[in-house]
Amino acid sequence: ANMKLILIFGALIGASLCLETFVGHQVLRIKTKNEEEIKQLQLLESLEHLELDFWINPSAPALPVDVRIPAASVQSVKAFLESQGIEYSILIEDLQDVLDKEKQDMAESAQRQRSSSFDFGAYHTLDDINQELDHLASEYSFVEKIQIGESYEKRPLYVLKFSTGGSNRPAIWLDAGIHSREWVTQASALWIANKIASDYGTDDSITSLLDKMDLFLLPVANPDGFVYTHTSNRMWRKTRSKIAGSVCVGVDPNRNWDAGFGGPGASSRPCSDSYHGPSANSEVEVKSVVDFIKNHGNFKAFLTLHSYSQLLMYPYGYKCTRPDDYAELESLGRAAASSIRSLYGTTFQVGTICKTIYQASGGSIDWSYDNGIKYSFAFELRDTGRYGFLLPANQIIPAAKETWLGLKRIMEHVRD
Amino acid sequence: ELPLSHFSAARAAAVAVGYLRYLRGGPGRGLELRELRRARRQDIDGVGHKYYLELELEDVLDKDRTVNCTAEVLYRLGSKTSAPDVQVTVQGELRSTEEAEQEFYNRIRSLEKELVAENIPDSHGNVPPELEPIHLLAWVASGYLIWQNSTENTKFHLAQVKHVKQVKRSDEDLQFDYVLLLHEMVSQEVLPWEVTVLWHPQRGARVSQS
């Protein structure tokens, strides 16, 4: 009987073609019931002219046998299996179809990778943001991702360093998201990072800025709070630190700086959204920035993004007296607000924190100013209350663009 | 005369806008402050602080048009329990909302199951179009709360409609029980407020705090 079968297959030699493609090739899964059937398949395997390609070779009855069969041999192999009562099923009807689809998928994926897949006009999770920071750092030689510390819940605090050379050049600090519910700020910071990176070399202003100064950008200053706004409470503002003796969690990180700490405009109640914390710099998110800036020693500007209210403010918040550099800061503030307005007509009010929003102690720009960083500004981005913290994603890029113009105006002044 | 950047002008303006939303807002009309044009403050001995404001408002459903408005906001001395006195004069016409509001009324009345919704807008700022009138009715309710609960040391905004539930009634009014999150700017607290709104196309809105 076996000889007869071999002759049948022998007759098919002429019919088998040498194909470069896999059009019409089928992949069958054969289920053998006993040793006898295994032997039949092993015989089939030995017939080289059939050009059968066993993906799983026949070995034991319990295991399936997968085989790719060229188009010309498909009908005869099936006829053979059926005549022997050997069970099989079709895994792949046409292998070329599968290969074509896979090639198309890979091309589309490569296309997406090349044209930066990050959607700056949408809100993202912390993981996605961190991934984009890696992407920017890998794509631009003058962009580096550094870690300046860890949050309370041990998340890394990542800063993008923009530096085209030199050694400890005069630097500009920019942070966003210190209050986690202010989502437009983290989102804008990402857009701004990408803008600066991609415009270096083509935009005169950014190029001359980075040729003289370094920029440090912390897009998510409060990662624990940020994750919490995604997982549990969209309106969370503070850090997520445990407070001794209280059921309440978290400290307002912008009342925790060593500038008039504990004074008016901050709460001593742990459950309050403006709780200043047990002591200045008690929050690791704040301490990490303080240490980094002190160790660097050459920062000239400290800029921080918040939302909402459309305000552009300079010190002081902890006291209602004017800073020594009042005239220059007011004038620069107005110029920056004017740049912001030039794009979409969005108006930002300018003034000291104390006069413009409220007296608030322990704020970051008061600390930076009192520590010798003259150009200290706090921005409150869109809007003025219509959506508040829940700014629609389609406003992210417009907000980022107009804010960038204001920041740029300040940075240019600092540079010059 | 107050600089427009001063917080006290902005706080008084927020009270005026809240009051206006309560008075003139509805499922078909949401008033928003486009710009504060002028602010003056008068300290009245033995009475309190009175703010005179000139405001430019827009209807969020008709943004190309704006309307001017003058407002007087009086914060009475030493009273923690009474609402500021507010008077407003709207110059010009607001877009008619009769048709849209009647349509909304008919739609809700014909619902088999009572409407329930939450998180308006959602985390990303989205409001489904069919919920926009419910959203604007929440502005009316929050406007009332803001007017009633403001002092010179507070500035309230509606942060989000946390939850809304329709309650079917045997009379002609629509009833919605809301849980509204109000953001208070000075303390930075975001707190839930329960409020019930009765609404009818001709009778307008009646708000009661739970």
Side-chain angles (χ1 to χ4, degrees):
Chain A
N2 285 337
M3 282 308 293
K4 195 163 136 194
L5 293 164
I6 288 169
L7 284 171
I8 290 172
F9 282 106
L12 293 168
I13 294 173
S16 81
L17 303 161
C18 244
L19 296 163
E20 267 182 280
T21 69
F22 296 93
V23 177
H25 290 220
Q26 286 198 356
V27 178
L28 302 185
R29 169 156 290 179
I30 303 167
K31 286 165 204 130
T32 51
K33 297 187 277 292
N34 51 50
E35 284 295 338
E36 178 61 39
E37 291 186 354
I38 293 282
K39 287 206 171 65
Q40 300 283 36
L41 293 181
Q42 283 169 341
L43 187 65
L44 214 58
E45 202 178 357
S46 68
L47 301 175
E48 284 175 21
H49 63 275
L50 290 176
E51 294 184 34
L52 300 180
D53 174 17
F54 282 84
W55 290 3
I56 303 177
N57 296 86
S59 55
L63 301 170
V65 174
D66 290 350
V67 57
R68 175 180 63 82
I69 308 170
S73 309
V74 168
Q75 288 315 310
S76 43
V77 169
K78 282 179 175 172
F80 169 72
L81 294 173
E82 283 159 27
S83 71
Q84 299 296 303
I86 299 176
E87 280 177 34
Y88 70 91
S89 59
I90 302 173
L91 274 189
I92 299 175
E93 282 265 9
D94 188 321
L95 186 56
Q96 190 59 42
D97 283 350
V98 172
L99 294 173
D100 288 344
K101 177 80 176 47
E102 185 181 48
K103 197 162 152 189
Q104 193 184 1
D105 286 348
M106 286 171 66
E108 280 169 18
S109 176
Q111 170 69 267
R112 273 196 301 275
Q113 305 260 21
R114 253 180 277 118
S115 56
S116 182
S117 51
F118 193 83
D119 182 0
F120 293 100
Y123 291 112
H124 291 278
T125 61
L126 183 65
D127 288 343
D128 286 349
I129 289 175
N130 284 338
Q131 207 178 81
E132 178 59 15
L133 297 182
D134 284 333
H135 175 250
L136 287 171
S138 72
E139 206 173 311
Y140 299 96
S141 59
F142 56 94
V143 179
E144 191 192 337
K145 187 184 87 169
I146 59 180
Q147 181 173 344
I148 65 166
E150 267 183 353
S151 69
Y152 182 83
E153 289 173 347
K154 305 270 175 274
R155 294 186 174 85
L157 298 170
Y158 288 133
V159 166
L160 282 186
K161 175 182 179 183
F162 296 77
S163 180
T164 61
S167 167
N168 219 46
R169 281 179 175 168
I172 294 170
W173 174 267
L174 176 59
D175 69 64
I178 195 170
H179 291 136
S180 39
R181 62 190 178 199
E182 298 168 8
W183 277 19
V184 69
T185 67
Q186 299 95 335
S188 294
L190 263 296
W191 183 91
I192 289 168
N194 179 252
K195 173 74 174 162
I196 295 172
S198 53
D199 272 15
Y200 177 74
T202 51
D203 176 278
D204 288 341
S205 180
I206 293 179
T207 306
S208 78
L209 179 77
L210 288 182
D211 281 347
K212 296 198 180 106
M213 304 184 72
D214 289 345
L215 176 72
F216 292 85
L217 169 55
L218 172 61
V220 186
N222 178 7
D224 295 349
F226 186 59
V227 170
Y228 199 72
T229 60
H230 278 272
T231 59
S232 307
N233 181 356
R234 176 64 178 81
M235 296 294 169
W236 191 260
R237 165 182 168 89
K238 303 188 287 182
T239 61
R240 292 293 301 164
S241 56
K242 305 237 183 311
I243 302 163
S246 178
V247 298
C248 289
V249 173
V251 168
D252 184 341
N254 207 30
R255 300 287 183 280
N256 190 244
W257 299 69
D258 196 3
F261 177 82
S267 175
S268 55
R269 293 182 305 112
C271 297
S272 166
D273 253 335
S274 56
Y275 174 52
H276 49 55
S279 58
N281 299 323
S282 63
E283 301 313 283
V284 64
E285 293 83 354
V286 171
K287 180 103 176 44
S288 303
V289 176
V290 169
D291 288 347
F292 182 77
I293 289 181
K294 277 187 162 163
N295 291 337
H296 183 281
N298 204 14
F299 274 93
K300 301 299 176 197
F302 185 98
L303 310 168
T304 182
L305 302 184
H306 291 260
S307 76
Y308 56 95
S309 287
Q310 291 171 207
L311 307 171
L312 213 171
M313 299 175 290
Y314 50 90
Y316 287 105
Y318 71 85
K319 55 186 178 181
C320 292
T321 52
R322 289 176 172 177
D324 287 344
D325 299 289
Y326 168 76
E328 187 184 357
L329 295 178
E330 171 72 19
S331 160
L332 181 53
R334 282 176 192 254
S338 188
S339 301
I340 293 174
R341 195 170 55 243
S342 71
L343 195 56
Y344 301 110
T346 309
T347 50
F348 275 54
Q349 299 294 338
V350 179
T352 64
I353 293 176
C354 189
K355 288 269 154 65
T356 310
I357 193 167
Y358 40 51
Q359 191 175 9
S361 57
S364 63
I365 69 168
D366 285 356
W367 171 83
S368 61
Y369 186 77
D370 279 349
N371 276 268
I373 303 174
K374 175 160 56 156
Y375 300 102
S376 294
F377 287 92
F379 287 63
E380 292 273 0
L381 307 194
R382 290 190 188 190
D383 58 13
T384 52
R386 176 168 175 195
Y387 288 97
F389 300 121
L390 308 180
L391 195 72
N394 63 17
Q395 289 197 45
I396 294 174
I397 293 180
K401 283 183 169 170
E402 68 193 6
T403 301
W404 170 239
L405 292 183
L407 291 167
K408 195 155 78 118
R409 182 66 186 81
I410 292 172
M411 292 184 190
E412 286 163 356
H413 183 89
V414 177
R415 173 197 68 201
D416 303 338
Chain B
E1 196 77 32
L2 289 172
L4 297 175
S5 58
H6 198 278
F7 61 71
S8 56
R11 290 176 195 177
V15 175
V17 171
Y19 181 76
L20 266 160
R21 283 183 175 178
Y22 169 59
L23 221 59
R24 305 296 298 269
R29 179 188 293 136
L31 294 172
E32 181 59 76
L33 179 66
R34 174 74 76 88
E35 205 174 313
L36 176 63
R37 293 214 168 277
R38 194 177 165 199
R40 288 177 301 132
R41 178 177 129 167
Q42 184 190 19
D43 293 347
I44 308 174
D45 281 343
V47 180
H49 299 156
K50 193 168 191 186
Y51 291 79
Y52 297 84
L53 308 168
E54 286 173 29
L55 312 162
E56 189 186 353
L57 305 170
E58 70 182 31
D59 177 348
V60 298
L61 299 178
D62 184 25
K63 282 209 277 222
D64 294 333
R65 238 195 322 180
T66 62
V67 88
N68 289 326
C69 158
T70 57
E72 287 172 20
V73 178
L74 170 63
Y75 299 100
R76 288 190 179 276
L77 264 181
S79 94
K80 299 257 156 111
T81 51
S82 75
D85 294 349
V86 186
Q87 294 201 58
V88 288
T89 312
V90 177
Q91 286 136 18
E93 290 289 307
L94 292 169
R95 193 179 116 269
S96 165
T97 54
E98 257 181 64
E99 211 181 296
E101 294 195 334
Q102 190 63 46
E103 202 188 294
F104 165 72
Y105 180 76
N106 295 339
R107 175 161 66 91
I108 302 294
R109 288 278 279 189
S110 66
L111 288 177
E112 268 185 41
K113 269 175 46 175
E114 290 174 323
L115 182 147
V116 176
E118 47 185 31
N119 295 335
I120 307 168
D122 67 16
S123 284
H124 295 226
N126 299 317
V127 179
E130 67 273 12
L131 288 180
E132 187 62 27
I134 299 286
H135 185 212
L136 295 180
L137 204 53
W139 281 20
V140 175
S142 67
Y144 175 81
L145 290 175
I146 291 169
W147 164 44
Q148 288 292 306
N149 292 281
S150 288
T151 70
E152 264 178 302
N153 300 316
T154 62
K155 184 162 183 279
F156 286 99
H157 290 279
L158 175 64
Q160 191 181 42
V161 177
K162 193 67 196 156
H163 190 85
V164 59
K165 193 187 66 172
Q166 180 197 359
V167 177
K168 284 203 182 189
R169 296 174 64 88
S170 52
D171 62 22
E172 306 252 298
D173 283 332
L174 298 182
Q175 177 179 338
F176 297 97
D177 292 350
Y178 284 94
V179 175
L180 303 180
L181 293 181
L182 291 191
H183 171 225
E184 201 288 292
M185 193 71 72
V186 179
S187 65
Q188 288 294 337
E189 301 295 334
V190 173
L191 295 173
W193 294 70
E194 288 181 2
V195 66
T196 292
V197 181
L198 299 177
W199 184 80
H200 182 275
Q202 278 77 53
R203 285 199 285 280
R206 281 132 290 141
V207 181
S208 54
Q209 223 173 308
S210 307

PDB file of all heavy atoms in Angstrom, chain A residues 337-351:
ATOM      1  N   ALA A 337       2.428  89.196  28.795  1.00  0.00           N
ATOM      2  CA  ALA A 337       0.976  89.085  28.646  1.00  0.00           C
ATOM      3  C   ALA A 337       0.549  89.595  27.278  1.00  0.00           C
ATOM      4  O   ALA A 337      -0.386  89.073  26.657  1.00  0.00           O
ATOM      5  CB  ALA A 337       0.268  89.866  29.754  1.00  0.00           C
ATOM      6  N   SER A 338       1.246  90.601  26.812  1.00  0.00           N
ATOM      7  CA  SER A 338       0.960  91.152  25.503  1.00  0.00           C
ATOM      8  C   SER A 338       1.285  90.128  24.409  1.00  0.00           C
ATOM      9  O   SER A 338       0.522  89.953  23.448  1.00  0.00           O
ATOM     10  CB  SER A 338       1.792  92.421  25.342  1.00  0.00           C
ATOM     11  OG  SER A 338       1.439  93.091  24.191  1.00  0.00           O
ATOM     12  N   SER A 339       2.411  89.422  24.579  1.00  0.00           N
ATOM     13  CA  SER A 339       2.758  88.369  23.622  1.00  0.00           C
ATOM     14  C   SER A 339       1.715  87.269  23.623  1.00  0.00           C
ATOM     15  O   SER A 339       1.336  86.746  22.573  1.00  0.00           O
ATOM     16  CB  SER A 339       4.108  87.741  23.979  1.00  0.00           C
ATOM     17  OG  SER A 339       5.119  88.699  23.988  1.00  0.00           O
ATOM     18  N   ILE A 340       1.250  86.903  24.814  1.00  0.00           N
ATOM     19  CA  ILE A 340       0.219  85.869  24.920  1.00  0.00           C
ATOM     20  C   ILE A 340      -1.029  86.303  24.161  1.00  0.00           C
ATOM     21  O   ILE A 340      -1.608  85.549  23.384  1.00  0.00           O
ATOM     22  CB  ILE A 340      -0.117  85.579  26.393  1.00  0.00           C
ATOM     23  CG1 ILE A 340       1.075  84.923  27.100  1.00  0.00           C
ATOM     24  CG2 ILE A 340      -1.365  84.716  26.511  1.00  0.00           C
ATOM     25  CD1 ILE A 340       0.887  84.739  28.597  1.00  0.00           C
ATOM     26  N   ARG A 341      -1.412  87.550  24.372  1.00  0.00           N
ATOM     27  CA  ARG A 341      -2.656  88.054  23.771  1.00  0.00           C
ATOM     28  C   ARG A 341      -2.567  88.135  22.261  1.00  0.00           C
ATOM     29  O   ARG A 341      -3.579  88.032  21.561  1.00  0.00           O
ATOM     30  CB  ARG A 341      -3.004  89.415  24.359  1.00  0.00           C
ATOM     31  CG  ARG A 341      -4.445  89.862  24.077  1.00  0.00           C
ATOM     32  CD  ARG A 341      -4.838  91.111  24.868  1.00  0.00           C
ATOM     33  NE  ARG A 341      -3.928  92.210  24.654  1.00  0.00           N
ATOM     34  CZ  ARG A 341      -3.176  92.747  25.605  1.00  0.00           C
ATOM     35  NH1 ARG A 341      -3.215  92.285  26.839  1.00  0.00           N
ATOM     36  NH2 ARG A 341      -2.357  93.754  25.328  1.00  0.00           N
ATOM     37  N   SER A 342      -1.342  88.288  21.753  1.00  0.00           N
ATOM     38  CA  SER A 342      -1.178  88.502  20.310  1.00  0.00           C
ATOM     39  C   SER A 342      -1.655  87.310  19.482  1.00  0.00           C
ATOM     40  O   SER A 342      -1.979  87.440  18.304  1.00  0.00           O
ATOM     41  CB  SER A 342       0.291  88.794  19.986  1.00  0.00           C
ATOM     42  OG  SER A 342       1.074  87.612  20.134  1.00  0.00           O
ATOM     43  N   LEU A 343      -1.729  86.131  20.084  1.00  0.00           N
ATOM     44  CA  LEU A 343      -2.046  84.939  19.301  1.00  0.00           C
ATOM     45  C   LEU A 343      -3.540  84.714  19.119  1.00  0.00           C
ATOM     46  O   LEU A 343      -4.025  84.608  17.992  1.00  0.00           O
ATOM     47  CB  LEU A 343      -1.393  83.719  19.962  1.00  0.00           C
ATOM     48  CG  LEU A 343      -1.303  82.450  19.130  1.00  0.00           C
ATOM     49  CD1 LEU A 343      -0.583  82.698  17.816  1.00  0.00           C
ATOM     50  CD2 LEU A 343      -0.570  81.357  19.910  1.00  0.00           C
ATOM     51  N   TYR A 344      -4.275  84.643  20.225  1.00  0.00           N
ATOM     52  CA  TYR A 344      -5.713  84.363  20.132  1.00  0.00           C
ATOM     53  C   TYR A 344      -6.569  85.400  20.854  1.00  0.00           C
ATOM     54  O   TYR A 344      -7.777  85.214  20.992  1.00  0.00           O
ATOM     55  CB  TYR A 344      -6.042  82.988  20.728  1.00  0.00           C
ATOM     56  CG  TYR A 344      -5.331  81.829  20.076  1.00  0.00           C
ATOM     57  CD1 TYR A 344      -4.337  81.140  20.762  1.00  0.00           C
ATOM     58  CD2 TYR A 344      -5.652  81.416  18.780  1.00  0.00           C
ATOM     59  CE1 TYR A 344      -3.679  80.069  20.180  1.00  0.00           C
ATOM     60  CE2 TYR A 344      -4.994  80.349  18.197  1.00  0.00           C
ATOM     61  CZ  TYR A 344      -4.008  79.685  18.900  1.00  0.00           C
ATOM     62  OH  TYR A 344      -3.355  78.622  18.328  1.00  0.00           O
ATOM     63  N   GLY A 345      -5.909  86.456  21.386  1.00  0.00           N
ATOM     64  CA  GLY A 345      -6.686  87.456  22.106  1.00  0.00           C
ATOM     65  C   GLY A 345      -6.936  87.095  23.561  1.00  0.00           C
ATOM     66  O   GLY A 345      -7.703  87.783  24.243  1.00  0.00           O
ATOM     67  N   THR A 346      -6.285  86.043  24.049  1.00  0.00           N
ATOM     68  CA  THR A 346      -6.489  85.638  25.444  1.00  0.00           C
ATOM     69  C   THR A 346      -5.818  86.631  26.383  1.00  0.00           C
ATOM     70  O   THR A 346      -4.626  86.903  26.255  1.00  0.00           O
ATOM     71  CB  THR A 346      -5.872  84.240  25.670  1.00  0.00           C
ATOM     72  OG1 THR A 346      -6.349  83.354  24.660  1.00  0.00           O
ATOM     73  CG2 THR A 346      -6.230  83.707  27.045  1.00  0.00           C
ATOM     74  N   THR A 347      -6.593  87.161  27.343  1.00  0.00           N
ATOM     75  CA  THR A 347      -6.032  88.165  28.244  1.00  0.00           C
ATOM     76  C   THR A 347      -5.605  87.544  29.564  1.00  0.00           C
ATOM     77  O   THR A 347      -6.362  86.807  30.194  1.00  0.00           O
ATOM     78  CB  THR A 347      -7.041  89.293  28.533  1.00  0.00           C
ATOM     79  OG1 THR A 347      -8.275  88.693  28.918  1.00  0.00           O
ATOM     80  CG2 THR A 347      -7.258  90.164  27.331  1.00  0.00           C
ATOM     81  N   PHE A 348      -4.393  87.867  29.955  1.00  0.00           N
ATOM     82  CA  PHE A 348      -3.853  87.477  31.250  1.00  0.00           C
ATOM     83  C   PHE A 348      -3.703  88.746  32.082  1.00  0.00           C
ATOM     84  O   PHE A 348      -3.167  89.745  31.597  1.00  0.00           O
ATOM     85  CB  PHE A 348      -2.470  86.830  31.088  1.00  0.00           C
ATOM     86  CG  PHE A 348      -2.486  85.354  30.775  1.00  0.00           C
ATOM     87  CD1 PHE A 348      -3.202  84.859  29.693  1.00  0.00           C
ATOM     88  CD2 PHE A 348      -1.761  84.461  31.551  1.00  0.00           C
ATOM     89  CE1 PHE A 348      -3.217  83.499  29.400  1.00  0.00           C
ATOM     90  CE2 PHE A 348      -1.769  83.094  31.262  1.00  0.00           C
ATOM     91  CZ  PHE A 348      -2.488  82.613  30.191  1.00  0.00           C
ATOM     92  N   GLN A 349      -4.165  88.721  33.335  1.00  0.00           N
ATOM     93  CA  GLN A 349      -3.936  89.854  34.226  1.00  0.00           C
ATOM     94  C   GLN A 349      -2.543  89.730  34.827  1.00  0.00           C
ATOM     95  O   GLN A 349      -2.075  88.631  35.105  1.00  0.00           O
ATOM     96  CB  GLN A 349      -4.988  89.873  35.347  1.00  0.00           C
ATOM     97  CG  GLN A 349      -6.433  90.011  34.877  1.00  0.00           C
ATOM     98  CD  GLN A 349      -6.712  91.356  34.215  1.00  0.00           C
ATOM     99  OE1 GLN A 349      -6.000  92.328  34.435  1.00  0.00           O
ATOM    100  NE2 GLN A 349      -7.744  91.405  33.387  1.00  0.00           N
ATOM    101  N   VAL A 350      -1.896  90.868  35.045  1.00  0.00           N
ATOM    102  CA  VAL A 350      -0.515  90.869  35.532  1.00  0.00           C
ATOM    103  C   VAL A 350      -0.448  91.542  36.892  1.00  0.00           C
ATOM    104  O   VAL A 350      -1.117  92.559  37.123  1.00  0.00           O
ATOM    105  CB  VAL A 350       0.401  91.628  34.544  1.00  0.00           C
ATOM    106  CG1 VAL A 350       1.839  91.657  35.047  1.00  0.00           C
ATOM    107  CG2 VAL A 350       0.329  91.000  33.169  1.00  0.00           C
ATOM    108  N   GLY A 351       0.359  90.997  37.804  1.00  0.00           N
ATOM    109  CA  GLY A 351       0.538  91.642  39.100  1.00  0.00           C
ATOM    110  C   GLY A 351       1.227  90.737  40.092  1.00  0.00           C
ATOM    111  O   GLY A 351       1.607  89.604  39.765  1.00  0.00           O
TER     112      GLY A 351
END
